[in-house]
Amino acid sequence: MARVKHESRWYPLESEESVLDGLLRQGVAVPNACRAGACQSCLMRALSGEIPEAARVGLKDTLRTQGYFLACVCKPVAGTELEVAGADALRVPARIDSLTLLSASVLRVRLSTDAPFDYRAGQYVSLLRADGLARSYSLASLPREGLLELHVRLIPGGAMSGWLAREARVGDTVAVQGPAGSCFYVPGHPEQPLLLAGTGTGLAPLHGIVRDALESGHTGPIWLFHGARTPEGLYLMDALRELAARHSGFHYRPCVLTGGSRDVAEGALDVLIRAECPRPVGFRAWLCGDSGMVLSLRKKLFLSGLSLKDLHADAFLPSAPRVEPVGAR
Amino acid sequence: MSTAAQEKSVYEQIGGEPAMAAAVDVFYRKVLSDDRISHFFEDVDMERQAAKQKAFLTMVTGGPSNYSGKDMRAGHAPLVKRGLNETHFDAVVEHLRATLEELNVPAPLVERVLSIAGGARADVLNR
Ligand SMILES: Cc1cc2nc3c(=O)[nH]c(=O)nc-3n(C[C@H](O)[C@H](O)[C@H](O)COP(=O)(O)OP(=O)(O)OC[C@H]3O[C@@H](n4cnc5c(N)ncnc54)[C@H](O)[C@@H]3O)c2cc1C
Ligand code: HEM
């Protein structure tokens, strides 16, 4: 059996139980969302004890050296004694600056932070409500713009998206934690062709990356594919068309499964990509949004010749069902 | 070829760690495209899987590796339960050969790598 100490109390873990599940089960509140090692909402810090390497995969070196780990995938070997603390030090207070619908199902949330928030366009953050509810959102803004911009898809019954759509008010205080992720533009190869593909609010990080690349003077072709089920799922079309009109190397290709038109292609996203970019060898690519789409497209692009080191993907994993503390209700 | 060059591992001769990244791309692409074996490599996390391919290539080219025969047995035991057999093993070896040839590794070195891989047969298939 492993034991975890949190705020001067010891909590035993069952075999194969993660630190997150063990703490939640015994009534300790720890922010969390995907519980699959991706969203980084459940970051905690080890004050003492051995952390398995699997719980630190994908963390920046600066976080590793400070002892941070992902509680949801941390399963200490039997006999381990761990002393842990929350990640409060990584959270930055922020205020809701504006809430604007970009389409019937996408809400733009702008946040202002008191201290400058250091990130690369395209990375994601955990948004924390005052009560600890946490969800990951990608940044659509550029660092020079000051405000942080999120595109939140409104999900029926969604805890965070529902709160943002109905109850949150301009001026409300929240917190952001991060940034995380490797979906961002890397200067140094201005002529490399770029391929960006996303479904739904997967457009958020891509919009940031495209503008970052253009502002950095990228000269190679840039392809942006935005997929949705129906035309109602597309948004920012005018802004992107205008951007394409100003930059001849930037190609914007919206696409829907049904209801296509002269300006919007109809069909599967991967088919459209294959038609426009038949041989993506030597490209750099970013894939964001629905996890099924991201994973299958990543595999297809890899098989058609893209190098793994040039493939960046953020799967928008949904939150996992809550763990109720023992004895609740 | 001097004696010193012969003593160098294939891993070092083909360029060590940096060359592995290119080799992983080529090898993993072949494995994923082969319907006979691709189902063993379906993993939601391609990056994690790529790291394992790298461990595989490093090991068979004689690079720094600390997998024991016992680790090989344990690591592949779940796959044997899922039906891993001689045919699959041969398919992997075939892709390994094609990968090395594509990377212009000289024939004698390719044979050395394949003999290291062949030596793992009993452990991988849990015989
Ligand atoms: C790295 C990362 C980046 C992300 N970036 C963004 C982003 O930029 N914009 C954005 O809108 N979201 C993003 N997400 C998803 C986001 O974190 C939340 O999961 C999402 O907003 C739903 O939260 P919620 O609290 O509103 O709904 P929840 O209360 O978590 O879910 C309510 C119900 O809806 C289901 N559900 C959740 N998501 C979906 C879905 N996509 N489709 C169908 N059913 C669903 C849940 O399983 C649950 O049953 C990202 C996720 C990750 C891991
Ligand atoms: C030729 C001899 C082989 C050697 C030397 C070898 C070596 C390795 C090594 C070093 C790992 C990494 C272990 C880890 O880090 O977890 C590994 C994992 C793996 N190997 Fe092999 N391997 C061989 C043959 C095969 C064959 C024939 C198959 C299937 C067709 C296979 C499928 C896998 C899979 C799927 C994994 C990942 C397992 C997991 O995710 O748990 N290997 N192998």
Side-chain angles (χ1 to χ4, degrees):
Chain A
M1 185 184 79
R3 296 203 303 161
V4 178
K5 187 177 181 186
H6 181 263
E7 292 180 350
S8 70
R9 253 196 72 184
W10 283 101
Y11 300 90
L13 296 185
E14 290 171 0
S15 91
E16 283 301 297
E17 191 176 40
S18 70
V19 169
L20 179 67
D21 285 343
L23 290 176
L24 293 175
R25 177 174 57 80
Q26 296 169 83
V28 180
V30 182
N32 67 89
C34 82
R35 295 223 294 275
C39 75
Q40 302 200 3
S41 295
C42 68
L43 269 178
M44 297 193 91
R45 196 152 82 94
L47 306 174
S48 69
E50 195 72 25
I51 297 293
E53 180 53 27
R56 311 199 297 170
V57 170
L59 294 190
K60 287 184 291 201
D61 288 343
T62 46
L63 291 178
R64 283 172 172 258
T65 49
Q66 294 174 75
Y68 283 100
F69 65 96
L70 299 170
C72 70
V73 285
C74 181
K75 296 178 179 171
V77 289
T80 305
E81 304 218 316
L82 267 186
E83 200 177 334
V84 303
D88 307 45
L90 298 178
R91 289 178 202 144
V92 178
R95 257 185 326 280
I96 298 181
D97 179 83
S98 67
L99 295 159
T100 315
L101 279 174
L102 294 176
S103 77
S105 61
V106 178
L107 182 69
R108 185 181 69 197
V109 179
R110 285 193 166 139
L111 305 170
S112 63
T113 51
D114 298 334
F117 187 75
D118 197 16
Y119 70 98
R120 308 288 300 268
Q123 287 191 293
Y124 59 89
V125 295
S126 285
L127 176 68
L128 289 106
R129 197 169 65 182
D131 64 354
L133 179 72
R135 294 287 183 267
S136 297
Y137 294 100
S138 301
L139 294 162
S141 45
L142 300 175
R144 66 160 175 80
E145 291 173 324
L147 296 176
L148 304 179
E149 174 172 323
L150 319 176
H151 297 168
V152 178
R153 176 166 157 220
L154 304 180
I155 291 172
M160 186 65 92
S161 61
W163 175 73
L164 287 166
R166 285 187 299 274
E167 290 162 59
R169 294 288 169 258
V170 168
D172 282 359
T173 301
V174 291
V176 288
Q177 179 180 306
S182 63
C183 276
F184 50 77
Y185 179 71
V186 184
H189 301 281
E191 64 306 308
Q192 185 175 32
L194 309 181
L195 192 164
L196 302 92
T199 51
T201 45
L203 182 61
L206 303 181
H207 192 220
I209 296 167
V210 164
R211 292 183 303 140
D212 191 17
L214 290 171
E215 290 191 6
S216 309
H218 196 84
T219 54
I222 304 177
W223 291 90
L224 172 61
F225 298 93
H226 186 208
R229 262 179 277 272
T230 60
E232 290 72 47
L234 298 170
Y235 65 97
L236 286 184
M237 287 219 277
D238 292 342
L240 288 163
R241 289 225 169 86
E242 200 219 307
L243 198 62
R246 277 191 283 130
H247 298 272
S248 59
F250 172 52
H251 312 283
Y252 166 55
R253 293 289 182 272
C255 124
V256 292
L257 289 178
T258 52
S261 60
R262 198 169 54 85
D263 298 331
V264 177
E266 186 174 296
L269 192 60
D270 60 311
V271 175
L272 178 65
I273 293 174
R274 200 160 351 107
E276 298 276 29
C277 305
R279 235 183 85 78
V281 179
F283 280 49
R284 184 180 283 270
W286 294 267
L287 313 171
C288 301
D290 174 72
S291 64
M293 181 287 293
V294 163
L295 298 177
S296 100
L297 206 51
R298 173 158 73 169
K299 187 164 156 186
K300 287 189 173 124
L301 288 173
F302 173 63
L303 290 178
S304 60
L306 243 105
S307 177
L308 280 175
K309 68 174 181 356
D310 288 328
L311 260 173
H312 308 279
D314 273 343
F316 289 4
L317 295 177
S319 65
R322 292 168 81 102
V323 176
E324 298 294 341
V326 184
R329 279 161 225 244
Chain B
M1 209 188 266
S2 75
T3 334
Q6 275 172 6
E7 277 165 6
K8 263 190 170 178
S9 66
V10 176
Y11 177 83
E12 285 170 285
Q13 295 192 38
I14 63 177
E17 226 274 336
M20 280 300 130
V24 167
D25 263 7
V26 176
F27 178 68
Y28 188 23
R29 203 172 275 136
K30 290 188 192 301
V31 165
L32 275 184
S33 317
D34 184 343
D35 293 339
R36 291 173 296 176
I37 51 173
S38 63
H39 58 284
F40 289 114
F41 297 86
E42 296 288 349
D43 189 317
V44 281
D45 194 333
M46 257 172 85
E47 264 158 62
R48 218 167 294 187
Q49 193 54 256
K52 288 180 180 162
Q53 308 286 319
K54 195 163 163 184
F56 166 83
L57 289 171
T58 303
M59 180 176 169
V60 293
T61 53
S65 164
N66 25 29
Y67 289 104
S68 65
K70 214 169 127 217
D71 293 333
M72 283 292 99
R73 278 181 179 267
H76 295 91
L79 306 176
V80 173
K81 280 211 195 87
R82 284 166 52 199
L84 182 69
N85 64 31
E86 301 281 348
T87 323
H88 305 124
F89 190 90
D90 292 340
V92 165
V93 171
E94 195 183 302
H95 294 311
L96 181 60
R97 175 192 290 280
T99 301
L100 296 169
E101 286 172 353
E102 223 172 294
L103 296 171
N104 296 319
V105 176
L109 297 187
V110 173
E111 293 314 320
R112 244 164 81 188
V113 172
L114 294 181
S115 88
I116 298 178
R121 187 182 288 262
D123 286 329
V124 167
L125 296 176
N126 282 241
R127 293 284 155 79

